[in-house]
Amino acid sequence: MPQPFSALDDLVPDDFLRQLAALREQRDQIDQQIRAYLAYGREFTRPRPYTLASLAEAAGLSISGVRTAYTPVDCDAVARALGRAPRSWS
């Protein structure tokens, strides 16, 4: 936790909301990174993808959650970063 809860009492409402929005932004960035890692683990590793079960355990998701967590947009972002297409497109 960045600061103790008791410090929240000293914040004016605008500062409190600003800090809350900053935390949401951090969470959204981490969620995006997790989706990219899942896409990499399933679509870009060679010779085989990581198993759904191993990714689910590491990410704290269900197996079906891993299947639906990332989208083609996430795969495109990973492909651009790596400079290569996913296994299934090769």
Side-chain angles (χ1 to χ4, degrees):
M1 182 99 348
Q3 63 183 3
F5 283 115
S6 59
L8 297 176
D9 284 339
D10 298 329
L11 294 175
V12 295
D14 287 347
D15 288 341
F16 171 79
L17 293 174
R18 217 177 340 272
Q19 287 190 14
L20 185 58
L23 289 170
R24 184 198 67 227
E25 177 64 28
Q26 289 174 15
R27 182 196 62 208
D28 292 348
Q29 289 175 0
I30 290 169
D31 286 344
Q32 184 177 14
Q33 286 180 299
I34 289 171
R35 289 192 311 273
Y37 270 59
L38 292 173
Y40 174 82
R42 288 298 295 167
E43 308 296 336
F44 292 87
T45 55
R46 292 188 167 114
R48 288 181 289 284
Y50 283 87
T51 65
L52 290 168
S54 64
L55 292 172
E57 183 176 342
L61 296 170
S62 65
I63 289 173
S64 62
V66 170
R67 277 194 194 106
T68 61
Y70 64 92
T71 67
V73 171
D74 299 308
C75 285
D76 290 343
V78 173
R80 281 192 309 279
L82 294 175
R84 63 182 165 90
R87 257 187 355 273
S88 57
W89 299 351
S90 302

